[in-house]
Amino acid sequence: MAVLVPAVTAAQASAAPVRPAAVVVTYDTSRAGEFVAAVHAGAEVWNDSVSNVRLEPVAPGRTAHVRVIADDGWPRALTTSLGRGTVWMGRQAVHQGYDTTRIAAHELGHILGLPDLKPGPCSSLMSGSTAGVACTNPYPDARERAAVEADFGGLTTPGRTGGPALAGLR
């Protein structure tokens, strides 16, 4: 029995765009308490929305780029450089009725280099709490996606400070 395999011409091979591998940003949820599922969901939102960066749980025994911690305060993020930092999943916002997946995606957006955009509509992930408790949209809008794509395009590892793509969002 013969198996036919289509031949690829040199012209077809050179016409196919070569995509650089996405920058992998690892996160550690070992201190995220009841927010572990929300953090994974928020990371998946970003993975579905952009292609130049991927958020993945850290492998056992490895050091993560991002630590996620549950606490009783307001949610916040401390970014030490692009793709690195700490996210606090604050219970105060959850007790007020804010959606945990939106909170996680928003705070991870800071780690990916995005500033708050307040006030803002529900369609803007980085509008954060100004969209109100009824807003459960965890997805970045086109401008937010484009800024993350631009900042991570061409990088091979996280760690560079925010670049010019952020200027248009401030």
Side-chain angles (χ1 to χ4, degrees):
M1 173 177 188
V3 176
L4 297 177
V5 178
V8 176
T9 67
Q12 290 171 321
S14 66
V18 177
R19 287 200 61 110
V23 175
V24 174
V25 173
T26 59
Y27 61 92
D28 176 3
T29 58
S30 63
R31 295 179 53 201
E34 68 272 27
F35 301 113
V36 171
V39 173
H40 291 312
E44 195 56 35
V45 162
W46 280 107
N47 292 341
D48 290 344
S49 300
V50 295
S51 60
N52 286 341
V53 63
R54 281 202 56 78
L55 293 163
E56 297 179 0
V58 70
R62 305 290 291 199
T63 301
H65 299 112
V66 181
R67 294 180 312 144
V68 183
I69 301 168
D71 76 355
D72 291 330
W74 193 257
R76 60 207 179 277
L78 173 64
T79 303
T80 55
S81 62
L82 188 63
R84 296 179 185 266
T86 303
V87 166
W88 287 270
M89 291 291 294
R91 293 179 183 100
Q92 183 177 353
V94 176
H95 294 318
Q96 291 180 20
Y98 289 95
D99 181 75
T100 57
T101 300
R102 180 173 166 88
I103 292 169
H106 173 92
E107 298 307 333
L108 289 169
H110 288 308
I111 298 298
L112 298 178
L114 297 175
D116 283 322
L117 294 174
K118 295 181 179 184
C122 183
S123 60
S124 167
L125 174 62
M126 299 314 291
S127 67
S129 64
T130 63
V133 294
C135 178
T136 60
N137 169 40
Y139 291 94
D141 66 20
R143 227 170 103 181
E144 294 160 342
R145 290 189 310 270
V148 170
E149 292 284 47
D151 275 351
F152 281 90
L155 291 183
T156 56
T157 59
R160 189 191 81 206
T161 56
L166 298 180
L169 286 174
R170 292 186 196 270

